[in-house]
Amino acid sequence: MNERLTAGGDLWLRPWAPDDLDAVLCAFTDPEMWRQSEEPVDTVPAAAAWIAARQRHWATGTGYSWAVLDARSVVLGCVEVGAVNRRHGCGWVSYWTTKAARGRGVATAACRTASDWALYDLGLHRLELGHRLNNPASCQVATRAGYRPEGVQRDKLRYDGRWYDVEIHARLVTDRGFAAAS
């Protein structure tokens, strides 16, 4: 199984490693990132636990998470195919980028690359992802990576005492002709 993936241009993906502690801690200092983890990632032990969880998922085949890096090996974000269900051939895709990487097509390239890998190399049939309705940038990433909107889940997520609707998107292995440009 290919663990290192080229995401076009000077971007590449590789599984998270213990050496990524500083990059994870730095990424999670951004208030926008606090929503990207069930537990706070604000200490070295918390960052180590976050990385270890991704390594466990990889080892058990329940999820595949990559650090997204540039040509200088600077971590720009994360893309993950999680909740992998082999019986039903499906998984859940998520992604985030560091503040410095936003708006540069990094999330789109990483999402498209990991999705292609999950559908064509891993052999899944369906991938899903969701984003808050008030996050149009994430919607653009999903659409540009070939995901089609399927509907809205009302009051799905709760942050800071407020409920948010979530739009669900999906991509099937049989989908063809999605917009590949970032």
Side-chain angles (χ1 to χ4, degrees):
M1 184 178 304
N2 188 6
E3 295 181 357
R4 182 178 164 144
L5 305 173
T6 302
D10 64 351
L11 298 177
W12 56 286
L13 314 178
R14 65 148 169 79
W16 289 97
D19 290 347
D20 295 321
L21 280 173
D22 289 340
V24 170
L25 276 172
C26 184
F28 279 96
T29 62
D30 179 358
E32 285 298 313
M33 289 296 297
W34 297 345
R35 299 177 181 141
Q36 298 296 330
S37 180
E38 291 181 22
E39 300 292 328
V41 183
D42 55 0
T43 64
V44 169
W50 187 90
I51 291 169
R54 270 121 202 94
Q55 292 174 326
R56 259 191 323 279
H57 297 160
W58 194 287
T60 60
T62 58
Y64 304 90
S65 184
W66 294 268
V68 182
L69 301 105
D70 66 12
R72 298 170 317 201
S73 296
V74 173
V75 173
L76 302 177
C78 175
V79 63
E80 185 167 346
V81 178
V84 171
N85 183 318
R86 297 293 184 122
R87 178 175 186 207
H88 297 293
C90 59
W92 183 264
V93 174
S94 60
Y95 43 83
W96 54 259
T97 56
T98 62
K99 189 173 186 174
R102 292 186 193 133
R104 297 175 25 200
V106 172
T108 299
C111 181
R112 185 183 313 118
T113 300
S115 298
D116 287 350
W117 177 86
L119 293 170
Y120 306 120
D121 295 343
L122 190 59
L124 298 183
H125 178 76
R126 176 185 172 87
L127 297 173
E128 301 172 351
L129 62 81
H131 63 83
R132 295 182 327 273
L133 284 182
N134 68 338
N135 188 348
S138 190
C139 186
Q140 284 185 329
V141 168
T143 302
R144 290 175 178 167
Y147 285 77
R148 297 179 185 171
E150 292 191 328
V152 174
Q153 295 177 318
R154 298 176 304 136
D155 287 356
K156 170 79 175 184
L157 300 175
R158 185 176 182 189
Y159 298 115
D160 302 322
R162 180 174 173 212
W163 290 100
Y164 292 87
D165 293 348
V166 171
E167 184 172 48
I168 299 299
H169 294 246
R171 182 172 160 195
L172 306 178
V173 71
T174 55
D175 288 345
R176 298 285 182 238
F178 64 87
S182 56

